[in-house]
Amino acid sequence: MVTLQTGLGTIEGVEVGGAIELRGIRYAEPPVGERRFRPPVRTGSWEGTYDGTTWGCRSVQNPTPAGLGGEEPGEIGEDCLVLNVTVPAAVAEGDLRPRPVLCWIHGGAFTIGSGNDYPAHELVRREDLVVVTVSYRLGALGFLDLSGLDESYAGSANLGIADQIAALGWIHDHIADFGGDPEQVTIAGESAGAISVMSLLASPSADGLYRRAMANSTGGFTPADTRAHVLPLFDQALAGDAPLLDRLRAASTDELLQAQVAAGFGFGSTVDGTVVTRSMDEAVAGAARAGVPLLIGSNADEGTLFLAIGGGDAGVFDLMTAGLPTAVAKGGDVERYRGLLTEAFPEEDPAVDGGVARNLRIWNHFFRRPAVESAALATEHGAGGWLYRFELPSTAFGGALGANHAGEIAFTFDWLAGDGDTGWTFHDRTGAHRAVARAWSSAVARFVRTGDPNGPDLPEWPRYASDDRSVLIIDDPLRVEVDPDETDRKLWESLD
């Protein structure tokens, strides 16, 4: 046990891998009872000694699929507005000099996961950073738009994003007591966490609470006009004759989860005009003008993990992919997009394999187009954008997944460094893999410290721009390629 004295009170944590984990720190009041479906309410100090040795709750969710790591730390419940802070061991000895802060927002399609799933001790110990991992409301509790039932619920479509903003406010006010610098905060995340990062760039109430941004495999915002059918589906799924809002507020968490499944609702942030008010392009450009650089990228085989989750069934995978073309086309002509795919990649004929190859291409486009265009915008408008592509094939599942979605997370946190328990990884701990992980995690740390990922263990990596489309390829060896997305990029450009 390790004890820290903070302005909030005394807290007890645990030593892990040469760093200190302070777990389950409440940043907002429990969003239960009258607070269900309401904005987060920040907490204050506590009495006595806070138990930071046990994990806080995971947001209400169904079990994590075994293919995504299975059971994770923490009980499941609505009292989930907690964060974890990992600090260098020297902090417990009174060394409170301000260190850069990495605020990590977890992924999981806005329906699973938590901040408990990302051990950061290796990165913290080696790079002398402070890492905060945040949990937030998921599913209907975090992203169901109730404003059409009662205008006082404006913003309910993005409560999970509002939770993240509350956590950033907590970091701004209190992280100095944990050896962190509130003026040097980098927001970062993967998948739904990356979309969250882009949503924070698009949220005025988050302005000034971060200095830099990193987004690994971001998609786009969910169009608001695709949600009109959702409330009637919840109305059908929740039994009773009371008004829907009353039933939603009274439902058990199991009933809400069952209604989510019955509604088939794809959750995610949307431009609601209350919490998120800017488009993604506007958000990136505005942040760059304000001096916020962006590190962004995607993986070479984003869709393979989702194909595996669907049991490898071509029909199931087609259903999982159905909504993505609209996002890739940015709400434009989806049939034109499909036609362009046929012209550009005739070998991926849907008649051959049930559309698997074509759908894998669409998954890559869903994550790649926002990365390419956002990196260029960030450079065009000032602070700069660095674009990567993760291409190192996984070894899990016999190597069948390639460089799959989420495969880069272990490299970001350098989970391959030791032999003990760490976060789940798709790669064996070979010497080559460990070297790539060390180099990439060091680049991430440099970005957190300075806003520029370049260093002696990387090839020279220029900012991505329309006149210099240099991309870091994370592979063995690490290398920089010029415009590796040219064919796909020209296809997207022809859609506009």
Side-chain angles (χ1 to χ4, degrees), residues 164-250:
Q164 297 165 18
I165 296 170
L168 285 173
W170 186 96
I171 292 169
H172 182 270
D173 292 346
H174 303 298
I175 203 64
D177 289 341
F178 297 82
D181 186 346
E183 303 304 321
Q184 297 289 336
V185 175
T186 297
I187 51 175
E190 184 271 343
S191 196
I195 298 173
S196 295
V197 167
M198 307 305 272
S199 300
L200 292 170
L201 298 182
S203 301
S205 50
D207 291 351
L209 296 177
Y210 55 86
R211 184 74 173 270
R212 301 172 186 106
M214 180 173 77
N216 300 8
S217 298
T218 184
F221 300 158
T222 303
D225 59 7
T226 65
R227 296 189 171 193
H229 69 291
V230 171
L231 286 178
L233 293 174
F234 272 81
D235 198 5
Q236 296 171 23
L238 288 174
D241 298 323
L244 176 58
L245 185 55
D246 292 343
R247 281 179 282 147
L248 285 164
R249 291 164 60 180

Side-chain angles (χ1 to χ4, degrees), residues 21-41:
E21 288 181 350
L22 302 140
R23 302 167 176 167
I25 303 174
R26 191 185 302 281
Y27 65 84
E29 296 291 342
V32 300
E34 292 300 315
R35 291 197 179 100
R36 180 184 271 189
F37 299 116
R38 294 294 189 181
V41 176

Side-chain angles (χ1 to χ4, degrees), residues 4 87-88 91 95-101 128-130 174-181:
L4 270 66
V87 302
V91 171
D95 181 358
L96 296 180
R97 55 193 169 83
R99 297 165 173 84
V101 178
D128 199 36
L129 304 174
V130 170
H174 303 298
I175 203 64
D177 289 341
F178 297 82
D181 186 346

Side-chain angles (χ1 to χ4, degrees), residues 60 111 138-141 234 255-265 267:
V60 172
T111 54
L138 302 172
L141 291 167
F234 272 81
E255 289 169 336
L256 283 176
L257 284 173
Q258 291 171 15
Q260 282 182 203
V261 173
F265 179 33
F267 293 93

Side-chain angles (χ1 to χ4, degrees), residues 38 145-156 231 245 249:
R38 294 294 189 181
D145 186 0
L146 304 179
S147 61
L149 302 178
D150 183 332
E151 63 183 15
S152 72
Y153 285 86
S156 57
L231 286 178
L245 185 55
R249 291 164 60 180

Side-chain angles (χ1 to χ4, degrees), residues 304-331:
T304 55
L305 183 63
F306 300 96
L307 175 62
I309 291 171
D313 184 290
V316 172
F317 190 46
D318 193 53
L319 289 173
M320 295 172 72
T321 310
L324 302 190
T326 299
V328 176
K330 292 188 170 183

